[in-house]
Amino acid sequence: MITSELPVLQDSGESGQDTVSLSMSMSELDDPGDGKSKKKRGRPGRPPAPNKKPRKSPLEKCPMGVQRGRKANGMAQQNGEGDPVTLFEVVKQGKSAMQSVVDDWIESYKQDRDLALLDLINFFIQCSGCKGTVRIEMFRNMQNAEIIRKMTEEFDEDSGDYPLTISGPLWKKFRYNFCEFICVLIRQCQYSIIYDEYMMDTVISLLTGLSDSQVRAFRHTSTLAAMKLMTALVNVALNLSINQDNTQRQYEAERNKMVGKRANEKLELLLQRRKELQENQDEIENMMNSIFKGIFVHRYRDAIAEIRAICIEEIGVWMKMYSDAFLNDSYLKYVGWTLHDRQGEVRLKCLKALQNLYTNRELFPKLELFTNRFKDRIVSMTLDKEYDVAVEAIRLVTLILQGSEDALSNEDCENVYHLVYSAHRPVAVAAGEFLHRKLFSRHDPQAEEALAKRRGRSSPNGNLIRMLVLFFLESELHEHAAYLVDSLWESSQELLKDWECMTELLLEEPVQGEEVLSDRQESALIELTICTIRQAAEAHPPVGRGTGKRVLTAKERKTQIDDKNKLTEHFIMALPMLLSKYQTDAEKVANLLQIPQYFDLDVYSAGRMEKVSTFLVLVVFVVEGHGGVEVLEACSKTYSILCSEEYTIMNRVDIGRSQLIDELGERFNHSVEELLQAGEEADDDDIYNVLSTLKKLTAFHNAHDLTRWDLFGNCYRLLRTGIEQGSMPEQIAVQALQCSHYSILWQLVKITEGAPSKDDLLALRRVVKSFLAVCQQCLSNVNTPVKEQAFMLLCDLLMIFSHQLTTGSREGLQPLVFNPDSSLQNELLNFILDHVFIDQDDENQSIEGDEEDEANKIEALHKRRNLLAAFSKLIIYDIVDMPAAADIFKHYMKYYNDYGDIIKETLSKTRQTDKILCAKTLILSLQQLFNELIQDQGPNLDRTSSHVSGIKELARRFALTFGLDQIKTREAVATLHKDGIEFAFKYQNPKGPEYPPPNLAFLEVLCEFSSKLLRQDKKTVHSYLEKFMTEQMMERREDIWLPLISYRNSLLTGGDEDRMSITSGSSSSKAGSIRSKKGRPPMHKKRIEEESVESSWMMRNDTLQTPGALQTPQLTSTVLRENPRQAAEHLPEQNSEPGSESDYVHNPQMQMSWLGQQKMEEVNRKERTAVNYMKARSGGVRQTVRGLMEDDAEPIFEDVMMSSRGQLEDMSEEFEDTMVIDLPPSRNRRERAELRPDFFDSAAMIEDESGFTMPMF
């Protein structure tokens, strides 16, 4: 008996205690004599009581056939109709009520306990997925350990799946039925059978033995059964405790009666009843102690996370169900320790178990010590790497806050506050709920209303909004106001929609004795107001929160419409007043002018027109008074929204807009003439007049068609003058380029929407051609902003006016198609090399030595990424020749952190376009790096240097991008090897043939791609390699020849292991599993399959007619230059024989004949060695199969994580078909990672038995 671990179950007199139905099972109590002799029922070895009434046979009573077909030895057999005949099959199918299944088993138990228990034992064995069966002689003559050992030997090793882990609705239902069966079994047996010291002892002993097995299926299934059994026993103990309380109260009431009215017989019955209940409770406690110490204490730290999760989940149920007995430090410590578990699912179960406890405020006194001990751990889990765990941790902290505000310190709260800015919305929403509980739920409504009346406000939320503004400012993340609003939207929506109160706070005049909003607070309140308006009008989270727009429900749609009507009606009146007050503040005006885009324009058009007119006048004042791009773009967008033809206000807005553009256009033409006439003598006023009007016109031209004002002419004149004279101010040139670009796009829109004439097309072509020439000339401008603007516009226009312009039945636009010539392509590539692939130190020096802060560095990086992305698109869409990408690909490793995602995506897209040309581009990039290294270090390279290792690592990364399906990339990889071999033997050593060629070390780089060749292709490539080798080369073994030796070995090895790579990567992994017992297929079948693949590749003439060597673009900055030593030493080959390298490269027919010759040689060689090969392989296969059988005999106890971080990165690069751009982490995510402590170090886990002796508090 184990009594030290579980305390004596206390009586529970609380009226709020959960109770379970006390109705007795009729299958147990159909004998009226059972209730009179509880001490004598069902002891082992006792015959049935002679006074029992005759009952129906189980065969007659059991409709489901639990007893049908049973042999004498306890083996269940199938009846002729195919009905389920075992408990496992009945529970698995779940076609019958679980209570009737249990009642039938109870009837069979009363008839023959051994056979019934044998059914139950086989039920647990079969639920574990074991095919073995316990027979009656085994049950009677063998110990549990021997039975389990026997069942382990009969366990099916072909698959690691068992019923609890198999997916699918059938097995999901089975798990539920399995748990329900155990609970119903204890419930139906709780009045007699569980006290017979036979059934429960046998079941608990079996489950304890199974839970200690090395077989995962036994441990998992038995632990789940034992924990559900324990939960059912806790329920029984709770009922016993309640019955004891009731009996004690009845006894006290009867005893307190007067002597004459006291019923002594009733007192004796109550005493007997109390004694029986106490005895039953003692037995239940012993059962629970056995399960807890024999199973829970060992399995809550099992190697399998699912088993640990089951234990923690159930102990949480026990503590909530029977808190008087289990909610104490002796049991809470297990949950506290497991908060440090390495697996997220286990930590999640801990948090949910604690949430169920903290939800009941009456339990807080019992949790006080636990809270003090583990509060820091719970708060730190709000930054858990698993988002689901972090969400539940925040919810738990919120429950702790609700129960006791003093439990959390200010530092604890601040750790949760900043999570409202998390990019993961569930985390942010949970943190928003915490913030609402902490800051916005503690206020005096009466005092707020009194203050609102005194100030003349219509809303009492003024102080709460002030508090929100202060929190936003103190968080110092002003660009994330939309995230803050979205986090609070579900918990504080009423407060965030109080736009009347926000407007009153902004417009109210200062009152003596009361503090008004500062300028910084006003800006923050306006920004928050705009975010609340956007959230209400769009009804979806901001960008970066969520996976996309979801379909709104009817209720959400109605709420959205009501909110838009409400905000429109309010801001019709309030917006003009706000603009009038803040019209000189650029930041506030830019934010306020965003409000009209969220209006319901039907309501706005039907509103008071004098307010609309006032608003338009104020917008004109803003345009005239501001020169900032953000303000001007906001004004332009406002006009664009209000000029919709479907609304009645369109005419009035259009007239106002035309008047404004007329005035700006006239002023611009006049100022341009003055500037051009002044020439080099132009003063600052002339420059300012042109720049200010050009900025405004450019901002409006972005959203409005201003072609009738002919802005392109004067902008082109400004640009030409700047190019010719070299004295045009930087800002004017940038704005003129942008305005000209908009003008061209609007002209293209007109042509595509109408039926243009040939003259219209030619006129637009002349305009585009002249502007492209100007942009190309601006690439050599001394001002970096001008060059960057010209580059971006060039890339955009080349993309727009490319061959894709004629798709979609638009062949008439063919005259507008522009294809960049080689000089323009080279200039664009040189710009990328000079302005993108630069070191951070170089960039800092280029900005006049000023020291950049972190924000400027991020902005500069963002700009460079945009430049690279614009040029990469030209390569992807075949506007710029693919070989130009070689100069980009070669920077993949060096600039991986900055541009790795862009380069990887470019590589993926170009491979989809042309696999062979992409492979030739990759090898060209490696050749460029190799040539640069030769130029720096000379022909005698140090193959152990970091530079050579860097090229090899880049080649390895390139090889990984080819993916797992070698059939798809077969020709591309073969072409890559061919080009690499030709490059390695391109030049001969002038010292003589006994010395290696200068480029021979490149073969060591080429070795990285050998694993991507099929076995038969390795032989073909090796044959091609031998064409370049002399007999002397084959015999040399010096270190200087190691690259050739290594490359040859990589082509000659890997025969058997590549067999699996012949098939497509989508083939089933189980077929090639190393643990398969089916053995390998016959060797002749494999040979036939390989030869069929070889022959199919030989017959594919079209795919093998690859272009010759690529022409490298002529560069001016980073250019592939031939080594002068190599150029001088190069001897041209004359009178080459048929079948030589030159013929192979330039003659597809000769190429096919060469391949055919290689294949014929391979077939002949294969026929000569087939017999010897089969003999050698047969012995090896037998040894391999024998080794696999020995490996399978080893039971698996622990799950081992096989993949390292590096291997995971490699795998992510291999799957090119599902490749996605991995953007570098944002600043917020980096801050999150820096704030996250290491929760899962070895010191935090209780790994050994010594953990149980650790003091908890």
Side-chain angles (χ1 to χ4, degrees), residues 451-462:
L451 178 62
K453 289 181 180 179
R454 187 168 65 252
R455 295 298 306 270
R457 299 176 188 160
S458 60
S459 173
N461 291 329

Side-chain angles (χ1 to χ4, degrees), residues 154-264:
E154 297 185 13
F155 209 94
D156 181 16
E157 300 180 7
D158 288 342
S159 173
D161 292 333
Y162 49 95
L164 292 184
T165 59
I166 300 176
S167 59
L170 174 65
W171 297 106
K172 184 177 180 181
K173 184 181 179 183
F174 165 78
R175 183 189 179 99
Y176 172 80
N177 292 339
F178 176 75
C179 299
E180 184 187 11
F181 172 80
I182 296 173
C183 296
V184 174
L185 177 64
I186 299 302
R187 188 180 70 206
Q188 296 297 95
C189 297
Q190 65 178 315
Y191 299 107
S192 62
I193 295 179
I194 62 174
Y195 304 109
D196 67 0
E197 295 184 355
Y198 187 68
M199 189 270 280
M200 290 301 294
D201 289 354
T202 303
V203 172
I204 293 175
S205 176
L206 173 71
L207 294 179
T208 303
L210 289 174
S211 68
D212 199 34
S213 171
Q214 289 185 325
V215 179
R216 171 178 176 169
F218 281 152
R219 288 205 321 280
H220 189 181
T221 307
S222 60
T223 302
L224 177 61
M227 295 301 101
K228 292 298 180 181
L229 186 68
M230 178 78 168
T231 302
L233 290 175
V234 171
N235 202 355
V236 173
L238 177 61
N239 287 336
L240 289 172
S241 177
I242 295 172
N243 288 337
Q244 278 188 299
D245 291 342
N246 294 336
T247 304
Q248 182 67 25
R249 283 196 297 268
Q250 292 175 9
Y251 176 79
E252 294 292 341
E254 190 66 30
R255 192 180 64 176
N256 291 335
K257 290 181 179 179
M258 297 176 61
V259 178
K261 296 182 179 180
R262 185 183 303 165
N264 292 331

Side-chain angles (χ1 to χ4, degrees), residues 757-826:
S757 63
K758 187 176 181 180
D759 294 338
D760 295 335
L761 294 176
L762 294 177
L764 179 57
R765 179 177 177 82
R766 286 193 296 271
V767 170
V768 175
K769 185 177 181 180
S770 59
F771 183 68
L772 289 176
V774 168
C775 290
Q776 186 174 357
Q777 290 175 324
C778 288
L779 291 178
S780 57
N781 194 289
V782 295
N783 297 314
T784 301
V786 176
K787 290 190 289 186
E788 291 178 348
Q789 181 74 6
F791 178 84
M792 291 298 297
L793 296 181
L794 265 174
C795 292
D796 288 346
L797 289 175
L798 289 175
M799 179 66 67
I800 294 170
F801 291 94
S802 67
H803 52 84
Q804 300 187 27
L805 184 64
T806 60
T807 59
S809 302
R810 292 183 298 187
E811 293 79 5
L813 300 181
Q814 181 63 38
L816 297 180
V817 174
F818 282 88
N819 295 315
D821 55 18
S822 58
S823 63
L824 179 56
Q825 293 186 30
N826 288 336

Side-chain angles (χ1 to χ4, degrees), residues 999-1187:
N999 292 345
L1000 188 69
F1002 188 76
L1003 293 179
E1004 197 166 4
V1005 177
L1006 204 57
C1007 288
E1008 301 293 340
F1009 297 94
S1010 296
S1011 61
K1012 295 302 177 181
L1013 285 169
L1014 296 181
R1015 184 176 60 86
Q1016 59 270 33
D1017 293 348
K1018 287 184 178 180
K1019 298 178 181 179
T1020 306
V1021 173
H1022 182 263
S1023 299
Y1024 186 64
L1025 175 65
E1026 290 179 341
K1027 299 289 185 181
F1028 294 86
M1029 297 172 56
T1030 63
E1031 294 182 359
Q1032 294 178 346
M1033 293 181 182
M1034 296 181 182
E1035 298 173 355
R1036 304 305 291 267
R1037 292 293 181 268
E1038 293 85 357
D1039 290 345
I1040 199 170
W1041 292 93
L1042 280 179
L1044 178 59
I1045 298 172
S1046 301
Y1047 184 56
R1048 290 189 66 195
N1049 290 338
S1050 69
L1051 297 177
L1052 294 175
T1053 57
D1056 292 330
E1057 56 268 26
D1058 284 346
R1059 292 180 181 274
M1060 295 177 62
S1061 65
I1062 294 176
T1063 59
S1064 176
S1066 61
S1067 61
S1068 174
S1069 61
K1070 292 183 179 180
S1073 175
I1074 200 169
R1075 296 178 58 85
S1076 175
K1077 292 297 186 69
K1078 298 179 181 180
R1080 304 194 180 196
M1083 296 309 301
H1084 69 278
K1085 291 186 178 180
K1086 285 195 173 185
R1087 187 169 66 251
I1088 294 173
E1089 180 183 353
E1090 292 167 2
E1091 291 177 359
S1092 64
V1093 175
E1094 292 179 13
S1095 60
S1096 64
W1097 187 48
M1098 290 170 57
M1099 297 303 295
R1100 294 173 63 178
N1101 298 352
D1102 55 338
T1103 58
L1104 288 173
Q1105 295 178 1
T1106 59
L1110 295 178
Q1111 296 296 327
T1112 306
Q1114 295 181 359
L1115 311 179
T1116 56
S1117 57
T1118 305
V1119 60
L1120 173 60
R1121 301 182 178 89
E1122 291 188 350
N1123 190 344
R1125 301 184 183 93
Q1126 296 176 357
E1129 298 160 2
H1130 176 57
L1131 297 177
E1133 299 179 3
Q1134 298 178 358
N1135 301 326
S1136 58
E1137 299 178 358
S1140 63
E1141 175 189 355
S1142 58
D1143 290 335
Y1144 172 74
V1145 172
H1146 301 290
N1147 191 339
Q1149 295 180 354
M1150 288 299 298
Q1151 183 177 348
M1152 280 303 301
S1153 63
W1154 173 81
L1155 286 172
Q1157 181 181 359
Q1158 306 307 312
K1159 296 303 176 184
M1160 290 300 297
E1161 293 177 0
E1162 290 177 16
V1163 171
N1164 295 334
R1165 187 163 52 249
K1166 191 180 302 181
E1167 291 177 352
R1168 290 193 301 269
T1169 59
V1171 176
N1172 295 333
Y1173 178 74
M1174 285 295 295
K1175 290 180 179 179
R1177 285 292 298 156
S1178 60
V1181 169
R1182 285 195 295 270
Q1183 293 177 2
T1184 304
V1185 173
R1186 189 181 304 115

Side-chain angles (χ1 to χ4, degrees), residues 105 125 289 400 408 515 629 676 681 688 736 773 813 894 928 981 1058 1095 1099 1102 1151 1160 1192 1197:
W105 182 88
I125 295 295
N289 274 321
I400 296 174
L408 299 176
E515 184 180 359
V629 175
L676 295 179
E681 299 177 356
Y688 174 79
L813 300 181
K894 183 177 180 181
Q928 290 181 3
I981 294 171
D1058 284 346
S1095 60
M1099 297 303 295
D1102 55 338
Q1151 183 177 348
M1160 290 300 297
D1192 282 346
F1197 180 71

Side-chain angles (χ1 to χ4, degrees), residues 270-283:
L270 290 173
L271 283 173
Q272 181 66 22
R273 173 68 174 164
R274 187 176 65 177
K275 183 179 179 180
E276 290 180 1
L277 290 174
Q278 185 61 47
E279 290 175 354
N280 291 346
Q281 190 175 33
D282 291 342
E283 290 193 41

